Amino acid sequence: MNSRGPKPLPQKAWLAYLLIGLTAVGGYYLIPAEGFGVWGRLLTYCLLTSSAAVAVFVGLFRYRPRVWVPWLLLGLSQVIYASADATFYISHYIFGKTGFPGYADPIYISHYPLVVAGLLLLIRRRSPGGDLPGLLDAAVLAVVAAMLTWLYLIGPPTVSNSPALTRAFLMTFPLMDLVMLAVGLRLLLGPGQRPAAFSLLCANLFGIFAADTIYSLMRLGEKYWVGNFIDAIWLAGNLALGAAALHPTMTQLADRAPTVDKHLGPSRIAVLIGAALVAPVTLLVQNANGSMHDIPVIAIACALLFLLVIARLADLVSDQRRLAITDPLTKLHTRRFFEAQLPMEVARAQRSASAFAVLIIDVDHFKSINDHYGHPAGDQALIEIAARLRKATRAGDVLARYGGEEFALLARDTDLDELPKIAERLRHQVASSPIAVSEETWLAVTVSVGIAAHPLHGTRPDELIAVADRALYSAKARGRDRVVIGTAPELGPGLGEHTGMIDYLGHLADEVDSMLSTYEHSRAIARWARLMSAELGHDEAGVRCAELAGRLHDVGKIVIPPEVLGKPARLSAQEWELMRQHPDSGYRMVAAVPGCDVVAEIVRQHHERPDGTGYPRRLRDSEIRIEAKIISVCDAWAAMLSDRPYQTALTEDEARAELRRGCGTQFDTAVVNLFLELQAKGTVGDLRRLRSHSAARRQTNA
């Protein structure tokens, strides 16, 4: 069906239909069941059930849903159901045929396959990729329903003295209802939208099931009479189907669910626990009644419930493992997974004397996408880029989202000659065609790629990452949209020819300092770290490393949003987690400068603590470089004596007390003693004001 057609119904047409129908149900019971009242009852009942079929086709015609076959099947099933009702009541009221089974019963049974087929199509459209959690949860409830149905509806006719045809129909009705219930539960517990039409359709299914169950129990007890309270449940269920079809949201029932929710909410847990307890409770009831012939059925139900619960738990565990290593946006591996795989790949390569490579892939000018088109457009671009990179990646390689707009590839068993081809394939795949970031916007996107090969460019994971980062930096500097293979790092600082890059990082460090305080910070720490390193007898190269690491120790904070970096209140858990990433960010930025590997490592360690509670890697005393211990003390002193958004400056006496209090836990005792000794001499600990408080406020407001 096409999307063009008649105008949709008024918004409240479904409600008017439902209210009028329920009023007619009340009127049905006011009509006497004798004389001419019989005709009134017959016509009222048949008109109500037929109206539901008409409503389905009216809704189908007026709303023209994109997926219309399920509604067509439900409409046809309702036509058959209404025909069965007409046959039943004419036989009963006009011809006096009250026996069971009657002419209408085969017609009633024939409507079930159409209902089940329509529901299965809806389920398939709503979760085309499958929904194991919903299937398992529905199966738990269906097993319980099947056990009870057998015990109280299907089992009894098998041992009765009724004619074979009567027993067959008595068993067929609850069996078909059970199938409909199982499919309805699968729809209810599956993913997807739950608009008003969905709720009304579920009310129809479970209302009909409830009425049919009561009817079967009354037939078994030979207590059924026409026109009792069950008619109201049947009629209300039929009206719910008609209202569902007339509701404007009926077109949304077949919409694909964006994700499959595997989370077990409190209400679902409560329902599943209650369902799992039904079988043992039933066993106790049967035992109390002295009825033991159904014990095998209950035992089978208990076993099935146990297996289903175990399967559900196994699926949850599997999903949690998958989520731990999967980026939620791109569905690639996470950086944590990539970094865990890298040491294992190094060990494997060393054992087998094989080669592999690390490729860092960065999206060019990605910030402009977010700035001009918004973050949703940026997310859409990342999703498509990830899909294209995945398509160009060989089986067995590890592709991960490494950062915001960065990706990383671990290319196994790869010779150096193959690397340019692999990288160019990735680059060409991304740039092959524009990327749709919205219905109206298509953007040309490119990537730059940096490559490091094992063992040519390093034998440790951090060495390979540093070389690939430097190669990526070079690709960016050469104009982007290109591939650069890294070179082995220089030994020692050897920084003379890279002063431009270092000066730029120093400028970023100054920018961070200006956002945090009116006093200097990184420049002071660089001075103090140099003096303390020299006092400890380090050679000139070591002194230079300590000084440069002090100058750049906070450069990684440049990537933290200003509203988090300068927040005057206590940071939230999420914001604090973001703040804890700045040593790693600083490490990567400094490591991109050739010859700065040692300096970068000092930057990464400056928030580690001797007691092992620091970050980012929870190193302990002997694992932390002495230069990092020096910077940790200097950094704390400078922070305590400065005005910060989150604290007022301490006095020197208070700061000295804090350093002594942290000896052995937060700070190295020997380093603290040396710092305080030099501070007492006036050699270290001096801070220069950069600007006034009013100027700082003006900059912050700007």
Side-chain angles (χ1 to χ4, degrees), residues 529-538 543:
R530 179 179 180 85
L531 290 168
M532 293 183 67
S533 180
E535 190 72 22
L536 289 171
H538 297 167
V543 171

Side-chain angles (χ1 to χ4, degrees), residues 584-600:
D584 271 330
S585 300
Y587 165 81
R588 296 189 61 207
M589 295 170 71
V590 177
V593 181
C596 270
D597 293 350
V598 174
V599 177

Side-chain angles (χ1 to χ4, degrees), residues 307-522:
L307 293 175
L308 288 169
V309 170
I310 293 298
R312 184 66 161 100
L313 291 175
D315 180 65
L316 280 173
V317 171
S318 174
D319 186 57
Q320 290 302 312
R321 289 177 177 173
R322 181 186 60 80
L323 289 176
I325 63 172
T326 304
D327 176 63
L329 179 67
T330 63
K331 309 307 178 187
L332 299 180
H333 289 303
T334 59
R335 175 174 178 169
R336 179 179 297 179
F337 178 82
F338 183 87
E339 290 180 339
Q341 290 293 307
L342 198 49
M344 291 190 287
E345 189 60 27
V346 168
R348 188 187 74 85
Q350 290 173 346
R351 288 195 306 269
S352 60
S354 59
F356 71 90
V358 173
L359 290 77
I360 305 293
I361 306 145
D362 188 81
V363 183
D364 297 326
H365 302 296
F366 182 76
K367 186 175 183 296
S368 65
I369 297 177
N370 282 336
D371 291 345
H372 289 91
Y373 303 100
H375 287 280
D379 288 347
Q380 188 58 43
L382 289 175
I383 292 170
E384 178 59 25
I385 291 168
R388 295 186 182 190
L389 291 174
R390 188 188 295 112
K391 188 181 298 184
T393 301
R394 305 173 308 171
D397 291 347
V398 178
L399 179 64
R401 185 183 180 191
Y402 199 68
E405 67 271 18
E406 277 190 340
F407 301 87
L409 176 67
L410 194 161
R412 295 185 167 115
D413 301 316
T414 306
D415 294 330
L416 186 62
D417 294 340
E418 299 177 80
L419 289 178
K421 298 177 183 177
I422 294 173
E424 285 295 336
R425 184 169 66 245
L426 295 170
R427 189 179 68 83
H428 280 295
Q429 185 68 38
V430 173
S432 59
S433 60
I435 291 176
V437 296
S438 69
E439 293 183 0
E440 304 83 14
T441 307
W442 294 70
L443 301 177
V445 179
T446 62
V447 295
S448 300
V449 185
I451 306 173
H454 177 281
L456 178 63
H457 298 137
T459 57
R460 300 199 317 269
D462 58 336
E463 291 176 338
L464 295 169
I465 293 294
V467 171
D469 262 338
R470 284 197 294 271
L472 177 63
Y473 182 92
S474 179
K476 295 283 189 180
R478 296 180 192 180
R480 297 179 170 84
D481 190 22
R482 66 191 63 235
V483 172
V484 172
I485 298 178
T487 57
E490 304 172 22
L491 297 175
L495 304 173
E497 59 187 285
H498 303 294
T499 55
M501 298 171 66
I502 295 172
D503 288 345
Y504 176 70
L505 292 178
H507 170 74
L508 294 181
D510 289 340
E511 189 174 334
V512 170
D513 292 347
S514 69
M515 289 189 285
L516 290 174
S517 175
T518 59
Y519 288 88
E520 65 173 349
H521 187 76
S522 62

Side-chain angles (χ1 to χ4, degrees), residues 540-590:
E540 181 56 32
V543 171
R544 174 63 173 144
C545 280
E547 179 184 22
L548 188 54
R551 179 78 175 92
L552 305 178
H553 74 285
D554 268 350
V555 71
K557 289 182 178 178
I558 196 68
V559 303
I560 298 175
E563 60 271 19
V564 175
L565 192 61
K567 184 176 181 179
R570 182 184 296 273
L571 297 181
S572 66
Q574 184 177 6
E575 291 167 340
W576 182 236
E577 183 62 30
L578 186 64
M579 186 69 76
R580 284 175 177 267
Q581 296 174 12
H582 86 265
D584 271 330
S585 300
Y587 165 81
R588 296 189 61 207
M589 295 170 71
V590 177

